[in-house]
Amino acid sequence: MTRIVHTQIAAAASPFSAKQWTGAAILALSAAWAPAAVADVINFDNLDSQFVGHGGSLEFYNFLLTGASNVPGASYGDLVGAVFDGTDPAACGMACPTNNTSNYYASLNDGVVYLNPAHYGGSVSLKGFDASFIGYAQGVSYPAVAGLLRVQGFHADGSSLYETYQLGGPVGGNFQFQHYNTSANFGSQQFASLAFFGFTCNTAGSCSAFSSNKGQFALDNIVATVPEPSTYAMMLLGLAGIGFAARRRQQA
């Protein structure tokens, strides 16, 4: 499995005045009060088999997963995904993965999958996931790298970072889920939103997205984290206390 990593770097923050803060103290406090993370493994086992239309969402405790079409002028409800029962691979009607005995999410028709924190203003980090290419038909010849899966994270300031993963062709005639870990750099980022979308590849190694309705993929066991809200509150209270103490010293 090969991972191709691309990075966009956000602008650097401006320095604080020495009279306001001591740099070393702030770095130490940031480390001491860094928000704790709540790790979740997002799977689809508790959901019924169902189709997902453009704009439709699946709700989890800390996350919201939304299907979207990349077609200009797409209508709400246009088919972009489905929750399939992995114990019945033939039920999807295409060349779906066969090594999953639980439910999984299938992104169809070049659809995009957005993963967002359930709470407004929150953030999400991605550590890993299971994924497979979904072929458009059974019995068709596919290349060794059948497709690519791109995961793009968006920061609140508009900057982004993405990684691209190769999705293998059939093994023994069937597509198979594989596990993918994000890089240390990507996995440490806190994004406002994450997008998953697929490419389809030909035997010459040329891959394209959003042009054929064949950039289809399956997702399961998404390992993601969100900061603990109560820890955010503790951090803010601590910083407020430091500011109050600094003002007291200036007045003394």
Side-chain angles (χ1 to χ4, degrees):
M1 183 271 290
T2 302
R3 178 171 62 233
I4 309 165
V5 181
H6 307 263
T7 305
Q8 293 182 1
I9 302 174
S14 59
F16 287 101
S17 165
K19 291 183 178 179
Q20 294 174 316
W21 300 101
T22 302
I26 292 302
L27 289 175
L29 288 166
S30 297
W33 284 320
V38 178
D40 285 294
V41 178
I42 303 171
N43 59 47
F44 305 89
D45 298 347
N46 295 326
L47 299 177
D48 295 330
S49 296
Q50 59 188 286
F51 290 106
V52 177
H54 172 59
S57 295
L58 302 173
E59 295 185 17
F60 302 89
Y61 176 68
N62 287 310
F63 306 95
L64 196 65
L65 189 146
T66 303
S69 171
N70 196 58
V71 177
S75 299
Y76 184 83
D78 287 352
L79 181 64
V80 294
V83 176
F84 286 134
D85 181 357
T87 63
D88 185 11
C92 81
M94 295 170 288
C96 289
T98 59
N99 64 332
N100 189 327
T101 58
S102 61
N103 290 357
Y104 62 88
Y105 183 86
S107 180
L108 308 174
N109 297 333
D110 287 347
V112 182
V113 183
Y114 287 97
L115 182 65
N116 296 306
H119 305 290
Y120 179 78
S123 61
V124 57
S125 297
L126 180 69
K127 306 300 182 182
F129 52 87
D130 295 345
S132 168
F133 190 75
I134 295 178
Y136 65 93
Q138 291 280 4
V140 176
S141 178
Y142 295 96
V145 177
L148 305 176
L149 177 59
R150 179 162 293 174
V151 185
Q152 187 164 4
F154 300 92
H155 293 291
D157 64 1
S159 63
S160 68
L161 177 124
Y162 64 82
E163 296 191 343
T164 305
Y165 305 85
Q166 293 182 348
L167 301 178
V171 177
N174 297 305
F175 285 102
Q176 306 285 320
F177 270 101
Q178 298 180 66
H179 183 74
Y180 299 83
N181 292 316
T182 59
S183 69
N185 180 44
F186 193 94
S188 67
Q189 303 286 319
Q190 293 184 2
F191 297 109
S193 180
L194 286 157
F196 299 76
F197 54 96
F199 294 66
T200 183
C201 302
N202 59 29
T203 54
S206 177
C207 304
S208 60
F210 306 127
S211 61
S212 64
N213 279 349
K214 296 179 181 178
Q216 305 183 132
F217 58 92
L219 277 177
D220 201 4
N221 299 320
I222 303 168
V223 183
T225 63
V226 295
E228 178 61 53
S230 61
T231 310
Y232 267 137
M234 291 175 63
M235 180 176 65
L236 292 173
L237 286 171
L239 291 175
I242 292 167
F244 176 76
R247 287 194 297 272
R248 289 291 298 273
R249 285 195 298 270
Q250 290 174 357
Q251 293 170 2

Short mmCIF file of all heavy atoms in Angstrom, two decimals, residues 189-228:
data_model
loop_
_atom_site.label_atom_id
_atom_site.label_comp_id
_atom_site.label_asym_id
_atom_site.label_seq_id
_atom_site.Cartn_x
_atom_site.Cartn_y
_atom_site.Cartn_z
N GLN A 189 -3.53 16.70 13.04
CA GLN A 189 -4.24 17.92 12.72
C GLN A 189 -5.67 17.89 13.27
O GLN A 189 -6.31 16.83 13.32
CB GLN A 189 -4.32 18.11 11.20
CG GLN A 189 -2.98 18.13 10.49
CD GLN A 189 -2.23 19.41 10.71
OE1 GLN A 189 -2.81 20.49 10.70
NE2 GLN A 189 -0.93 19.30 10.89
N GLN A 190 -6.17 19.04 13.65
CA GLN A 190 -7.58 19.18 14.04
C GLN A 190 -8.28 19.98 12.94
O GLN A 190 -8.01 21.17 12.76
CB GLN A 190 -7.70 19.87 15.39
CG GLN A 190 -7.15 19.03 16.54
CD GLN A 190 -7.36 19.67 17.89
OE1 GLN A 190 -7.94 20.74 18.01
NE2 GLN A 190 -6.88 19.01 18.94
N PHE A 191 -9.15 19.30 12.21
CA PHE A 191 -9.81 19.89 11.06
C PHE A 191 -11.24 20.31 11.40
O PHE A 191 -11.91 19.68 12.22
CB PHE A 191 -9.85 18.90 9.89
CG PHE A 191 -8.50 18.50 9.37
CD1 PHE A 191 -8.01 17.22 9.60
CD2 PHE A 191 -7.73 19.39 8.65
CE1 PHE A 191 -6.77 16.83 9.10
CE2 PHE A 191 -6.49 19.02 8.15
CZ PHE A 191 -6.01 17.74 8.37
N ALA A 192 -11.70 21.33 10.71
CA ALA A 192 -13.11 21.71 10.83
C ALA A 192 -13.99 20.72 10.09
O ALA A 192 -15.15 20.51 10.46
CB ALA A 192 -13.32 23.12 10.28
N SER A 193 -13.45 20.08 9.03
CA SER A 193 -14.21 19.13 8.23
C SER A 193 -13.25 18.24 7.46
O SER A 193 -12.13 18.66 7.13
CB SER A 193 -15.13 19.88 7.25
OG SER A 193 -15.88 18.97 6.46
N LEU A 194 -13.69 17.02 7.17
CA LEU A 194 -12.92 16.08 6.36
C LEU A 194 -13.77 15.61 5.20
O LEU A 194 -14.98 15.40 5.34
CB LEU A 194 -12.49 14.86 7.18
CG LEU A 194 -11.36 15.05 8.19
CD1 LEU A 194 -11.44 13.98 9.27
CD2 LEU A 194 -10.01 15.00 7.50
N ALA A 195 -13.15 15.44 4.02
CA ALA A 195 -13.86 14.94 2.85
C ALA A 195 -13.14 13.72 2.30
O ALA A 195 -11.90 13.70 2.20
CB ALA A 195 -13.94 16.02 1.78
N PHE A 196 -13.90 12.67 1.96
CA PHE A 196 -13.39 11.47 1.32
C PHE A 196 -13.97 11.42 -0.10
O PHE A 196 -15.18 11.54 -0.27
CB PHE A 196 -13.84 10.20 2.05
CG PHE A 196 -13.40 10.07 3.48
CD1 PHE A 196 -14.00 10.82 4.49
CD2 PHE A 196 -12.40 9.18 3.84
CE1 PHE A 196 -13.61 10.69 5.81
CE2 PHE A 196 -12.01 9.03 5.17
CZ PHE A 196 -12.61 9.79 6.16
N PHE A 197 -13.13 11.20 -1.11
CA PHE A 197 -13.66 11.01 -2.47
C PHE A 197 -12.72 10.12 -3.27
O PHE A 197 -11.53 10.00 -2.96
CB PHE A 197 -13.91 12.34 -3.18
CG PHE A 197 -12.74 13.29 -3.25
CD1 PHE A 197 -11.92 13.34 -4.36
CD2 PHE A 197 -12.48 14.15 -2.19
CE1 PHE A 197 -10.86 14.22 -4.42
CE2 PHE A 197 -11.42 15.04 -2.25
CZ PHE A 197 -10.60 15.07 -3.38
N GLY A 198 -13.28 9.46 -4.29
CA GLY A 198 -12.57 8.41 -4.99
C GLY A 198 -12.18 8.76 -6.41
O GLY A 198 -12.81 9.60 -7.07
N PHE A 199 -11.13 8.06 -6.88
CA PHE A 199 -10.69 8.09 -8.27
C PHE A 199 -10.82 6.67 -8.82
O PHE A 199 -10.64 5.69 -8.08
CB PHE A 199 -9.22 8.50 -8.37
CG PHE A 199 -8.90 9.91 -7.95
CD1 PHE A 199 -9.05 10.31 -6.63
CD2 PHE A 199 -8.41 10.82 -8.87
CE1 PHE A 199 -8.72 11.60 -6.22
CE2 PHE A 199 -8.08 12.11 -8.49
CZ PHE A 199 -8.24 12.51 -7.17
N THR A 200 -11.06 6.56 -10.12
CA THR A 200 -10.99 5.27 -10.78
C THR A 200 -9.77 5.26 -11.68
O THR A 200 -9.44 6.27 -12.30
CB THR A 200 -12.28 4.99 -11.58
OG1 THR A 200 -12.19 3.68 -12.16
CG2 THR A 200 -12.50 6.01 -12.68
N CYS A 201 -9.07 4.12 -11.75
CA CYS A 201 -7.81 4.02 -12.50
C CYS A 201 -7.95 3.00 -13.63
O CYS A 201 -8.66 2.00 -13.50
CB CYS A 201 -6.68 3.61 -11.58
SG CYS A 201 -6.41 4.73 -10.18
N ASN A 202 -7.23 3.25 -14.74
CA ASN A 202 -7.21 2.29 -15.84
C ASN A 202 -5.91 1.49 -15.82
O ASN A 202 -5.03 1.71 -14.98
CB ASN A 202 -7.42 2.99 -17.18
CG ASN A 202 -6.36 4.05 -17.46
OD1 ASN A 202 -5.22 3.95 -16.99
ND2 ASN A 202 -6.73 5.07 -18.24
N THR A 203 -5.76 0.57 -16.77
CA THR A 203 -4.60 -0.32 -16.78
C THR A 203 -3.31 0.44 -17.08
O THR A 203 -2.21 -0.06 -16.78
CB THR A 203 -4.79 -1.43 -17.81
OG1 THR A 203 -5.11 -0.85 -19.09
CG2 THR A 203 -5.93 -2.36 -17.39
N ALA A 204 -3.41 1.63 -17.66
CA ALA A 204 -2.22 2.44 -17.94
C ALA A 204 -1.77 3.23 -16.72
O ALA A 204 -0.75 3.93 -16.76
CB ALA A 204 -2.49 3.39 -19.10
N GLY A 205 -2.54 3.16 -15.62
CA GLY A 205 -2.18 3.86 -14.40
C GLY A 205 -2.69 5.27 -14.33
O GLY A 205 -2.33 6.03 -13.42
N SER A 206 -3.56 5.65 -15.26
CA SER A 206 -4.16 6.99 -15.24
C SER A 206 -5.42 6.94 -14.38
O SER A 206 -6.28 6.07 -14.56
CB SER A 206 -4.50 7.43 -16.65
OG SER A 206 -5.15 8.69 -16.65
N CYS A 207 -5.53 7.89 -13.45
CA CYS A 207 -6.66 7.91 -12.52
C CYS A 207 -7.41 9.23 -12.63
O CYS A 207 -6.78 10.29 -12.79
CB CYS A 207 -6.18 7.72 -11.08
SG CYS A 207 -5.20 6.21 -10.80
N SER A 208 -8.72 9.17 -12.53
CA SER A 208 -9.54 10.38 -12.65
C SER A 208 -10.67 10.36 -11.64
O SER A 208 -11.11 9.29 -11.21
CB SER A 208 -10.11 10.52 -14.07
OG SER A 208 -10.94 9.40 -14.37
N ALA A 209 -11.11 11.55 -11.25
CA ALA A 209 -12.21 11.68 -10.29
C ALA A 209 -13.33 12.50 -10.91
O ALA A 209 -13.10 13.35 -11.78
CB ALA A 209 -11.71 12.37 -9.02
N PHE A 210 -14.55 12.22 -10.48
CA PHE A 210 -15.73 13.02 -10.83
C PHE A 210 -15.99 13.08 -12.34
O PHE A 210 -16.47 14.09 -12.85
CB PHE A 210 -15.59 14.45 -10.28
CG PHE A 210 -15.31 14.52 -8.81
CD1 PHE A 210 -14.24 15.25 -8.33
CD2 PHE A 210 -16.09 13.83 -7.90
CE1 PHE A 210 -13.96 15.33 -6.97
CE2 PHE A 210 -15.83 13.89 -6.53
CZ PHE A 210 -14.76 14.64 -6.07
N SER A 211 -15.67 11.99 -13.04
CA SER A 211 -15.86 12.03 -14.49
C SER A 211 -16.52 10.80 -15.07
O SER A 211 -16.83 10.77 -16.26
CB SER A 211 -14.50 12.23 -15.19
OG SER A 211 -13.62 11.16 -14.90
N SER A 212 -16.74 9.78 -14.24
CA SER A 212 -17.22 8.52 -14.80
C SER A 212 -18.31 7.83 -13.99
O SER A 212 -18.86 6.83 -14.44
CB SER A 212 -16.03 7.55 -14.94
OG SER A 212 -15.52 7.23 -13.65
N ASN A 213 -18.60 8.33 -12.78
CA ASN A 213 -19.48 7.64 -11.83
C ASN A 213 -18.92 6.29 -11.39
O ASN A 213 -19.65 5.45 -10.87
CB ASN A 213 -20.89 7.44 -12.41
CG ASN A 213 -21.75 8.69 -12.28
OD1 ASN A 213 -21.39 9.63 -11.58
ND2 ASN A 213 -22.88 8.71 -12.96
N LYS A 214 -17.61 6.09 -11.59
CA LYS A 214 -16.98 4.82 -11.21
C LYS A 214 -15.96 4.98 -10.08
O LYS A 214 -15.32 4.00 -9.69
CB LYS A 214 -16.31 4.18 -12.43
CG LYS A 214 -17.30 3.79 -13.52
CD LYS A 214 -16.58 3.19 -14.73
CE LYS A 214 -17.56 2.83 -15.83
NZ LYS A 214 -16.87 2.28 -17.03
N GLY A 215 -15.82 6.20 -9.57
CA GLY A 215 -14.91 6.42 -8.44
C GLY A 215 -15.60 6.05 -7.14
O GLY A 215 -15.86 6.92 -6.30
N GLN A 216 -15.88 4.76 -6.97
CA GLN A 216 -16.69 4.29 -5.85
C GLN A 216 -15.81 3.56 -4.83
O GLN A 216 -14.86 2.88 -5.21
CB GLN A 216 -17.80 3.37 -6.35
CG GLN A 216 -18.66 4.03 -7.44
CD GLN A 216 -19.80 3.14 -7.90
OE1 GLN A 216 -20.93 3.58 -7.98
NE2 GLN A 216 -19.51 1.90 -8.21
N PHE A 217 -16.17 3.68 -3.57
CA PHE A 217 -15.35 3.06 -2.53
C PHE A 217 -16.21 2.74 -1.32
O PHE A 217 -17.30 3.29 -1.13
CB PHE A 217 -14.19 3.97 -2.13
CG PHE A 217 -14.61 5.33 -1.63
CD1 PHE A 217 -14.83 5.57 -0.27
CD2 PHE A 217 -14.82 6.37 -2.52
CE1 PHE A 217 -15.22 6.82 0.19
CE2 PHE A 217 -15.22 7.63 -2.07
CZ PHE A 217 -15.41 7.86 -0.73
N ALA A 218 -15.70 1.84 -0.48
CA ALA A 218 -16.37 1.44 0.76
C ALA A 218 -15.54 1.92 1.94
O ALA A 218 -14.30 1.92 1.89
CB ALA A 218 -16.53 -0.08 0.80
N LEU A 219 -16.22 2.32 3.01
CA LEU A 219 -15.58 2.81 4.23
C LEU A 219 -16.14 2.07 5.44
O LEU A 219 -17.34 1.80 5.50
CB LEU A 219 -15.83 4.30 4.43
CG LEU A 219 -14.95 5.33 3.73
CD1 LEU A 219 -15.46 6.73 4.05
CD2 LEU A 219 -13.49 5.18 4.12
N ASP A 220 -15.27 1.81 6.40
CA ASP A 220 -15.72 1.23 7.67
C ASP A 220 -14.64 1.48 8.73
O ASP A 220 -13.49 1.81 8.40
CB ASP A 220 -15.95 -0.28 7.51
CG ASP A 220 -16.87 -0.85 8.59
OD1 ASP A 220 -17.39 -0.06 9.42
OD2 ASP A 220 -17.06 -2.08 8.63
N ASN A 221 -15.04 1.36 9.98
CA ASN A 221 -14.11 1.46 11.12
C ASN A 221 -13.21 2.69 11.03
O ASN A 221 -11.98 2.61 11.11
CB ASN A 221 -13.26 0.18 11.21
CG ASN A 221 -14.10 -1.05 11.43
OD1 ASN A 221 -15.08 -1.03 12.19
ND2 ASN A 221 -13.77 -2.14 10.75
N ILE A 222 -13.87 3.84 10.90
CA ILE A 222 -13.15 5.11 10.82
C ILE A 222 -12.71 5.50 12.23
O ILE A 222 -13.55 5.66 13.13
CB ILE A 222 -14.05 6.20 10.22
CG1 ILE A 222 -14.56 5.78 8.84
CG2 ILE A 222 -13.32 7.54 10.13
CD1 ILE A 222 -15.69 6.66 8.31
N VAL A 223 -11.41 5.65 12.44
CA VAL A 223 -10.87 6.00 13.76
C VAL A 223 -10.66 7.51 13.78
O VAL A 223 -9.78 8.04 13.09
CB VAL A 223 -9.55 5.27 14.04
CG1 VAL A 223 -9.05 5.61 15.45
CG2 VAL A 223 -9.72 3.76 13.88
N ALA A 224 -11.47 8.20 14.54
CA ALA A 224 -11.43 9.66 14.58
C ALA A 224 -11.54 10.14 16.02
O ALA A 224 -12.04 9.42 16.89
CB ALA A 224 -12.56 10.25 13.74
N THR A 225 -11.06 11.35 16.27
CA THR A 225 -11.12 11.92 17.60
C THR A 225 -11.65 13.35 17.54
O THR A 225 -11.52 14.03 16.53
CB THR A 225 -9.73 11.95 18.27
OG1 THR A 225 -8.86 12.80 17.52
CG2 THR A 225 -9.13 10.57 18.36
N VAL A 226 -12.27 13.76 18.64
CA VAL A 226 -12.69 15.15 18.82
C VAL A 226 -12.17 15.61 20.17
O VAL A 226 -12.05 14.82 21.11
CB VAL A 226 -14.23 15.31 18.76
CG1 VAL A 226 -14.77 14.95 17.40
CG2 VAL A 226 -14.91 14.47 19.83
N PRO A 227 -11.82 16.89 20.31
CA PRO A 227 -11.38 17.38 21.62
C PRO A 227 -12.50 17.26 22.64
O PRO A 227 -13.69 17.38 22.31
CB PRO A 227 -11.03 18.84 21.36
CG PRO A 227 -10.82 18.94 19.89
CD PRO A 227 -11.74 17.92 19.28
N GLU A 228 -12.13 17.02 23.89
CA GLU A 228 -13.11 16.92 24.98
C GLU A 228 -13.60 18.32 25.34
O GLU A 228 -12.79 19.17 25.74
CB GLU A 228 -12.46 16.27 26.20
CG GLU A 228 -13.36 16.16 27.40
CD GLU A 228 -14.58 15.33 27.13
OE1 GLU A 228 -14.43 14.18 26.68
OE2 GLU A 228 -15.69 15.83 27.35
#
